[in-house]
Amino acid sequence: MNGSHGSADARPPTGVQQAAVQKHVFLDYLASRNLKLTRQRQAVVDQIFRDSGHFEADELVERLKSGRARVSRATVYRTLELLRECQLVEKLDFGTPRRFYEHVTPGEHHDHLICTRCGNVIEFHNERLEALQREICNNFAFQDSHHSLRIFGLCSKCSQAAS
């Protein structure tokens, strides 16, 4: 940001600030369920908030182990479920037996293109598409809470290889 427009307060929050806000959301959620932020849960949350992209729970377990964190597989799965319940993690179905997760930032949204051959996942955001979805909901007096768009097909590499 060049600083010529708006005040310092108008700047979007940094990744560190967003992570701090999201950690408070998670702490509040745990407190509402009479649960504590254990050292193991903290390690899981830190790893998820630090990394980006899609991951499987077992990949997360391996990353934690390679980072010398002592966290059981069961704790990882339970923490993922808690994070999903408070909408900081989304569980994704890409049309395969494998289940993926991703850290989501409240208020941000993206959709997915999924290659059915190689499994590549491309994230995208299109404001025209978002506006059209809002218009459709308005036309039907439908109060939406969230949505997910997944388009399956071939990525450019796989479609070229198929030709």
Side-chain angles (χ1 to χ4, degrees):
M1 178 172 218
N2 63 19
S4 63
H5 300 288
S7 67
D9 294 335
R11 277 186 261 161
T14 66
V16 172
Q17 291 167 329
Q18 286 178 345
V21 168
Q22 291 175 11
K23 185 175 177 181
H24 282 294
V25 168
F26 187 56
L27 288 171
D28 290 346
Y29 183 76
L30 290 176
S32 75
R33 313 254 314 185
N34 293 321
L35 298 170
K36 295 189 185 311
L37 182 65
T38 63
R39 190 174 38 63
Q40 293 83 5
R41 280 188 187 132
Q42 179 68 56
V44 173
V45 168
D46 288 346
Q47 185 72 45
I48 290 170
F49 285 11
R50 183 173 37 250
D51 295 343
S52 62
H54 310 104
F55 61 90
E56 292 180 80
D58 288 340
E59 289 174 332
L60 180 58
V61 170
E62 291 308 313
R63 279 190 227 151
L64 288 162
K65 280 184 185 176
S66 69
R68 305 256 190 250
R70 297 182 53 128
V71 180
S72 73
R73 178 173 265 99
T75 297
V76 168
Y77 277 93
R78 283 192 301 265
T79 303
L80 281 169
E81 185 59 23
L82 291 167
L83 287 163
R84 191 193 61 72
E85 289 170 5
C86 68
Q87 300 178 344
L88 294 173
V89 165
E90 188 174 344
K91 190 175 186 178
L92 304 167
D93 179 357
F94 291 145
T96 68
R98 299 166 60 194
R99 294 294 173 253
F100 292 90
Y101 297 85
E102 77 177 324
H103 171 224
V104 292
T105 302
E108 292 184 13
H109 174 75
H110 64 264
D111 296 300
H112 299 95
L113 302 171
I114 301 116
C115 182
T116 55
R117 181 172 287 162
C118 72
N120 185 34
V121 177
I122 301 165
E123 295 180 351
F124 72 94
H125 177 83
N126 183 296
E127 192 49 47
R128 288 187 332 214
L129 185 57
E130 297 298 316
L132 180 58
Q133 291 171 135
R134 285 189 297 272
E135 180 184 325
I136 291 167
C137 288
N138 288 338
N139 288 345
F140 289 95
F142 185 81
Q143 182 78 29
D144 67 318
S145 61
H146 63 282
H147 73 272
S148 173
L149 176 64
R150 296 168 296 148
I151 301 173
F152 296 88
L154 297 178
C155 68
S156 60
K157 256 189 218 179
C158 290
S159 62
Q160 287 174 0
S163 300

